[in-house]
Amino acid sequence: MNSLRKILSLIAIFVLLSGTVVFASEPVQVEKPKEKLDVKELILEHLADSYSWHITKIGDTDIAIPLPVIVYSKTSGMHVFLSSAFKEGASHEGLIIASEGKYKGKIVEKDTHGNENRPFDISMTKVVCALLFNSALLIFIILTVARSYKKDTFESKKGFVGFMEMFIMNINDEVIKPCVGKDYKKFSPYLLTVFFFIFLTNLMGLLPVFPGGANITGNIAITFVLAIFTFVIVNVVGTKEYWKEIFWPDVPVWLKVPIPLMPAIELVGVFTKPFALMIRLFANMLAGHSIVLGLTCLVFVTVSLGPAMNTSMTVVSVVFNVFINLVEVLVAFIQAYVFVLLSSVFIGLARVEPHHAKEAIK
Amino acid sequence: MSLLLPDSGLLFWMFLSFGIVVFILVKYGFPVILKMVEDRKAYIDNSLSIAKQAHEELASVKSEGETIVDNARREQVKIMNDAAQMRDTLIKEAKDKASVEAVKLVEDARKQILIEKEDAIRDIRRQVALLSVDIAEKVLRGQLEKKDEQLDMINRLLDEINISKS
């Protein structure tokens, strides 16, 4: 969505540069400053999930794709309908999108006392749809690459497949292999999947047109699941030595008994690792989207300061947006890279072998 | 704050879709690619070592060939020398033989000629003796036509014999 704003700002430059004089006499311009622009609301709205996929606005009509709402309520049972039923803030089958309060922007159900209850909501929201689209795209891309290997095995690949091969092998050899260690081959398919999932999702988030533009990796539920996967793998494949180092580490006994100081710290460490993964990816992507949105808002905020100011700030906004978007492409890669790097390191740490050297010294 | 609270519906969908993605790609996607790249690497390494080996073999074959050619050339030179030597000795021998033969032939011819000459001389002598006897007969016959002469003759001969006897 941010990129749509960017396009708008580009158009704005054109119009402003070509006819500031005309603009001044336009009666439409007089109307605009009346709408007070709440930048914070606008940005938060764009970052958050929504029940319909808003594409653009032509004139006064919103162009949005209605998405299916799937809600289970304890009182009224199952509800399945399209989100277009909520048009103009109307309620449907006793359900309504809350406009304020704790559940703002989510579907709620009002009980007899007027309290808002949140039903079990597995609606296919914008993020869900983009997520499914990206998943399908990723599966398609990787399976296409994999299939081309079945055709002619020993031929070196060209074009897209060759690029993907180089990419995959680079991550495999430079990140996964050194970080996981000995039996990295067992984990590399999963870690590669995570890498390409995050990378593709990040890039699609930056894409201005329809299937992209959703803030997926900047949503904490998504990064939470990713972190959970890594957490489970790390702790399932953990060796005896790994668990020993958590509950009975090589420290003076008084640090372990009677108050299990070190085990407590180590145990917290087990959970902070995936937590760091989750927060890092979420915060980085969210921040990237916020900056782009904020810079784009500059165009609309400065409208009230007059044409000259508006024009110059538009130029600034576009220049900075281009810069930030390029940075975001880099960040998209770096975040996927860091996530996989840290996951690899955690898996590598969980597969420690007993320290023979230390024991020999004792 | 709603940004920091994971939404249950989204969690559900994320678990579902990411689980499917992981399942499919871990089973059918990346292992295939990684394995093929690994296989290709092994194949290239193998091919390289084979090529190296072939190269070495070729070099050894080449040097072997060179030694064979060298030997052959040496052999050739030797054979040619031998042949030249043999030719010279043969010619020399033939010449020697021929000269000996020639000498012998000349000798033989000379001997033959001598023999022939002696034969011829002997023959002439015989002829001459016969002729002289005939002539002497005729001469004697002419001289001895008268009786006294015959007697004279006999006497003389007898004298002669006596003289020779004494």
Side-chain angles (χ1 to χ4, degrees):
Chain A
M1 284 298 111
N2 49 48
S3 311
L4 281 175
R5 292 288 176 188
K6 212 178 77 184
I7 293 168
L8 276 179
S9 58
L10 266 175
I11 294 165
I13 286 188
F14 250 82
V15 174
L16 288 167
L17 290 181
S18 58
T20 32
V21 186
V22 184
F23 250 96
S25 59
E26 282 281 345
V28 186
Q29 273 308 94
V30 188
E31 278 178 46
K32 278 229 166 164
K34 280 182 189 169
E35 293 176 30
K36 185 87 174 80
L37 188 69
D38 190 345
V39 176
K40 190 188 155 208
E41 270 309 297
L42 189 141
I43 291 176
L44 284 179
E45 190 196 315
H46 275 91
L47 290 176
D49 204 358
S50 69
Y51 288 96
S52 66
W53 197 325
H54 187 264
I55 293 173
T56 186
K57 195 171 189 176
I58 297 176
D60 278 340
T61 48
D62 282 312
I63 296 181
I65 299 172
L67 300 171
V69 170
I70 306 163
V71 167
Y72 178 78
S73 158
K74 274 175 202 157
T75 50
S76 58
M78 199 77 183
H79 300 274
V80 179
F81 54 89
L82 279 179
S83 65
S84 50
F86 285 129
K87 216 151 207 179
E88 309 291 323
S91 70
H92 186 82
E93 295 179 13
L95 301 167
I96 192 164
I97 298 176
S99 55
E100 56 195 342
K102 195 171 147 202
Y103 302 122
K104 190 178 175 226
K106 304 270 192 237
I107 289 179
V108 290
E109 190 176 31
K110 281 199 172 134
D111 64 7
T112 46
H113 305 292
N115 294 325
E116 286 180 340
N117 290 323
R118 182 99 169 91
F120 184 60
D121 180 3
I122 52 166
S123 303
M124 308 230 341
T125 58
K126 180 179 159 188
V127 171
V128 171
C129 286
L131 180 67
L132 294 179
F133 178 82
N134 289 349
S135 302
L137 186 65
L138 181 65
I139 290 172
F140 172 74
I141 289 172
I142 299 300
L143 288 189
T144 308
V145 174
R147 201 178 304 119
S148 78
Y149 281 91
K150 281 178 182 158
K151 266 188 258 161
D152 36 10
T153 315
F154 294 132
E155 201 153 289
S156 67
K157 303 295 172 192
K158 294 181 189 73
F160 181 70
V161 177
F163 166 73
M164 285 303 286
E165 183 193 308
M166 192 200 75
F167 205 167
I168 292 168
M169 293 323 288
N170 187 41
I171 298 298
N172 188 48
D173 295 343
E174 306 297 326
V175 182
I176 297 169
K177 199 172 168 184
C179 291
V180 175
K182 211 168 60 209
D183 43 2
Y184 74 98
K185 278 180 188 167
K186 225 162 62 183
F187 304 100
S188 58
Y190 166 72
L191 291 167
L192 284 169
T193 306
V194 171
F195 177 84
F196 283 98
F197 182 85
I198 296 174
F199 185 55
L200 182 77
T201 314
N202 287 350
L203 283 187
M204 289 299 281
L206 294 175
L207 208 67
V209 284
F210 160 61
N215 176 25
I216 302 176
T217 36
N219 191 306
I220 200 153
I222 305 297
T223 58
F224 178 74
V225 172
L226 287 170
I228 286 284
F229 267 79
T230 296
F231 173 75
V232 168
I233 286 176
V234 165
N235 289 293
V236 164
V237 302
T239 54
K240 219 185 265 174
E241 181 69 14
Y242 168 72
W243 291 108
K244 189 193 151 267
E245 280 184 357
I246 290 170
F247 293 113
W248 199 255
D250 273 338
V251 289
V253 179
W254 60 269
L255 282 173
K256 297 182 275 194
V257 186
I259 308 157
L261 204 60
M262 285 309 287
I265 292 171
E266 293 280 357
L267 203 59
V268 169
V270 170
F271 294 99
T272 51
K273 283 172 188 171
F275 187 76
L277 280 182
M278 171 176 85
I279 294 296
R280 193 189 312 274
L281 179 59
F282 158 72
N284 273 292
M285 294 323 290
L286 190 74
H289 281 251
S290 309
I291 292 169
V292 173
L293 284 169
L295 284 171
T296 312
C297 283
L298 215 58
V299 178
F300 305 98
V301 169
T302 53
V303 166
S304 58
L305 301 176
M309 194 62 185
N310 191 210
T311 309
S312 52
M313 286 319 284
T314 303
V315 173
V316 169
S317 162
V318 170
V319 169
F320 271 83
N321 255 338
V322 168
F323 172 71
I324 289 294
N325 261 313
L326 289 176
V327 171
E328 279 303 295
V329 173
L330 186 66
V331 168
F333 174 79
I334 289 172
Q335 286 310 313
Y337 181 88
V338 166
F339 196 100
V340 168
L341 180 81
L342 290 178
S343 293
S344 304
V345 168
F346 296 158
I347 291 175
L349 288 177
R351 299 192 58 74
V352 282
E353 301 288 323
H355 306 300
H356 295 295
K358 259 192 204 167
E359 278 164 16
I361 291 163
K362 279 179 193 172
Chain B
M1 271 310 285
S2 70
L3 281 175
L4 289 173
L5 289 173
D7 188 61
S8 59
L10 206 48
L11 280 180
F12 165 78
W13 284 108
M14 179 61 187
F15 257 114
L16 192 72
S17 60
F18 187 65
I20 291 169
V21 168
V22 167
F23 177 76
I24 291 177
L25 293 188
V26 166
K27 214 164 155 82
Y28 307 106
F30 288 111
V32 175
I33 297 169
L34 293 176
K35 191 175 167 293
M36 283 306 166
V37 172
E38 209 91 333
D39 284 358
R40 197 172 62 205
K41 199 172 155 245
Y43 174 76
I44 290 170
D45 285 351
N46 195 25
S47 300
L48 278 178
S49 73
I50 286 173
K52 202 179 164 195
Q53 207 180 320
H55 206 74
E56 276 166 12
E57 260 168 36
L58 188 71
S60 75
V61 163
K62 216 173 175 181
S63 70
E64 223 167 81
E66 266 165 19
T67 48
I68 286 172
V69 167
D70 272 4
N71 284 346
R73 203 162 285 153
R74 221 169 293 137
E75 199 77 2
Q76 184 198 24
V77 169
K78 205 177 135 202
I79 286 171
M80 273 171 70
N81 282 347
D82 282 3
Q85 224 165 3
M86 196 171 276
R87 184 194 58 194
D88 288 354
T89 45
L90 272 181
I91 288 171
K92 202 173 158 236
E93 265 174 29
K95 262 184 189 163
D96 287 359
K97 223 174 186 176
S99 61
V100 166
E101 200 75 5
V103 166
K104 204 179 148 196
L105 273 178
V106 167
E107 202 80 359
D108 279 5
R110 201 177 288 146
K111 272 181 193 163
Q112 196 72 26
I113 287 167
L114 272 178
I115 290 167
E116 294 280 315
K117 207 170 89 185
E118 275 172 13
D119 273 9
I121 289 168
R122 214 175 293 136
D123 205 32
I124 288 165
R125 270 192 190 145
R126 204 168 44 236
Q127 292 289 338
V128 167
L130 280 175
L131 275 175
S132 59
V133 167
D134 274 2
I135 290 162
E137 203 186 288
K138 273 172 186 165
V139 167
L140 275 176
R141 208 169 280 163
Q143 283 178 341
L144 295 175
E145 272 175 3
K146 291 163 196 165
K147 220 159 169 191
D148 50 341
E149 272 176 28
Q150 278 179 7
L151 282 170
D152 262 355
M153 183 67 189
I154 290 162
N155 286 335
R156 208 178 48 236
L157 280 173
L158 280 170
D159 285 349
E160 275 174 20
I161 291 164
N162 283 341
I163 293 165
S164 67
K165 265 191 181 168
S166 59

